[in-house]
Amino acid sequence: MDRTHLELAMELRHALHAHPELSNHEEWTRAELMRFLRTHTDLAVIDRGNWFYAVYRAPDSKRRVAFRADFDALPIEDACGAPYASKIPGVGHKCGHDGHSAALAAFAMEVDANGCENDIYFIFQHAEETGDGAKECAPLITEEKIDEVFAFHNWPGYPLGAVCIRDGAVNCASRGMTIRMAGTPSHASMPECGKNPAFALAAIINEVPALLDLPWKALVLATVIGIQAGEKAFGTQASEGELYLTIRAELEAELDALAEKIEAMVQREAARYGLTWSIEYCDCFPETANDPASADKVRAAARALGCPVCEMEHPERGSEDFGYFLKRAPGAIFELGAGEDYPQLHTAQFDFPDALIEIAVAMFTRLAAG
């Protein structure tokens, strides 16, 4: 890789790290990435509002290949101790999206300088952490008739530079579930005169573990995130309450089935206690399932570069909205090891390793030609 390109990419990464922005609020980040590409490449840069993409057009293109990077940060204080640490209190690049975007920008400089036999699309995506971003960006895959799409995510716990890959599901589907129930208030001394949702919510919580013991085909989880019922007013019985669950599954069909079972449970308990109810979903992520042929290209690229290849035995429980892209075209997402004893993602100490930029660019370069 060109040394100047690498140095520019690391400087970009440090600037992004110092100016993190939360999902759907990445105005400076998007503008800076667009400025960088327009300054250091001759690629066409297309602004799509919350996100953007750049394009390299090959003279005699055989295929269209897309590569995606995310650029949002997290509401986590940055305690990495680097000179370029976050300047925004309570917000930090604790998942490495600054590194993902810097690596894709470096790859764009390399393709612009050296050319490629295929058309290459460089997709810079917002709001991965909430699942909103890829859902908004993915229609580009259909619009531009993309043949194949790739991405990577850094991952602590694996050796630095190791390429981790899996056929099929590589990240679980998940969604946040808010269950609301309402009854009628009463004096605390006369609970029989009111309708208290706390008992229905408690019944649901107690029954959730039994749902997870059903004969599912693969991993299914439901995690109680929080519960709220009534207020701290000892003379008044609770009349409104909310239960927050995160539900996830390796297979999206089984996530749908789990949601249906919980919804039926809510309806049953609401009727039992004479309550009204509603359910709202947020942070919805599809299953992220690699195409086996695309995953084989990742393996071949890693071996050609001398990178260790780690076969993932199970999908990561954490979700990844790249699955929206993979619903529209074959492709694969792979993990790059950040180090076996490296701080974990979503912790205050995490900082994307700059050493992964060159490896990611080398992998993308091989995949672009495939």
Side-chain angles (χ1 to χ4, degrees), residues 30-364:
R30 180 178 58 85
E32 177 62 14
L33 285 165
M34 291 175 66
R35 182 205 65 78
F36 183 91
L37 290 178
R38 285 170 173 160
T39 300
H40 299 292
T41 76
D42 292 322
L43 301 175
V45 177
I46 296 89
D47 188 352
R48 296 292 291 264
N50 292 324
W51 60 285
F52 73 96
Y53 66 97
V55 185
Y56 169 82
R57 305 284 186 189
D60 297 303
S61 177
K62 299 178 180 177
R63 305 175 68 241
R64 293 182 172 184
V65 186
F67 296 84
R68 171 276 216 167
D70 37 23
F71 54 65
D72 53 333
L74 285 160
I76 299 174
E77 195 72 39
D78 187 6
C80 70
Y84 49 82
S86 172
K87 300 179 184 297
I88 312 301
V91 183
H93 269 295
K94 302 290 97 182
C95 204
H97 296 183
D98 53 339
H100 301 166
S101 287
L104 187 59
F107 175 50
M109 287 189 288
E110 290 284 291
V111 172
D112 182 61
N114 302 320
C116 184
E117 63 183 19
N118 297 318
D119 288 350
I120 306 298
Y121 288 71
F122 310 86
I123 303 172
F124 291 83
Q125 179 208 307
H126 64 303
E128 187 281 328
E129 295 292 350
T130 59
D132 300 330
K135 191 173 184 179
E136 185 175 341
C137 300
L140 178 71
I141 301 300
T142 304
E143 293 167 14
E144 294 295 318
K145 298 179 173 59
I146 303 298
D147 295 296
E148 202 165 19
V149 58
F150 293 96
F152 86 96
H153 201 297
N154 78 97
W155 210 268
Y158 293 108
L160 183 68
V163 174
C164 311
I165 189 66
R166 188 176 195 268
D167 293 346
V170 67
N171 290 91
C172 289
S174 70
R175 62 190 70 150
M177 188 176 194
T178 297
I179 300 166
R180 296 187 176 92
M181 289 186 161
T184 53
S186 71
H187 195 283
S189 67
M190 296 182 288
E192 70 278 7
C193 295
K195 295 178 181 178
N196 191 332
F199 303 105
L201 295 173
I204 294 167
I205 291 173
N206 286 331
E207 197 168 330
V208 162
L211 288 180
L212 306 184
D213 289 335
L214 294 175
W216 303 100
K217 295 179 181 178
L219 175 72
V220 169
L221 288 174
T223 305
V224 176
I225 301 304
I227 184 172
Q228 181 274 327
E231 298 178 1
K232 192 176 181 180
F234 292 101
T236 305
Q237 174 177 223
S239 61
E240 295 183 352
E242 294 185 348
L243 173 61
Y244 316 113
L245 302 174
T246 297
I247 59 175
R248 71 181 67 242
E250 179 176 332
L251 304 175
E252 198 167 335
E254 294 203 320
L255 182 67
D256 292 338
L258 176 63
E260 289 175 3
K261 291 181 183 299
I262 295 176
E263 288 175 7
M265 188 192 311
V266 170
Q267 188 171 4
R268 183 195 69 208
E269 293 300 320
R272 176 183 175 189
Y273 289 97
L275 307 167
T276 61
W277 63 276
S278 65
I279 295 175
E280 180 181 328
Y281 292 99
C282 66
D283 290 9
C284 298
F285 292 82
E287 67 182 15
T288 299
N290 285 343
D291 177 77
S294 299
D296 278 343
K297 292 181 181 180
V298 171
R299 294 181 180 95
R303 293 186 180 112
L305 294 169
C307 297
V309 177
C310 299
E311 294 292 336
M312 300 166 60
E313 186 175 353
H314 303 289
E316 299 291 354
R317 291 188 177 188
S319 299
E320 163 61 68
D321 71 356
F322 189 67
Y324 284 115
F325 290 96
L326 295 176
K327 288 179 180 295
R328 292 177 176 265
I333 185 170
F334 58 95
E335 295 174 357
L336 282 183
E340 293 177 274
D341 298 317
Y342 205 72
Q344 289 298 311
L345 301 175
H346 292 220
T347 64
Q349 293 73 33
F350 174 82
D351 181 27
F352 180 92
D354 283 333
L356 294 186
I357 292 176
E358 188 169 12
I359 299 170
V361 170
M363 286 290 296
F364 281 174

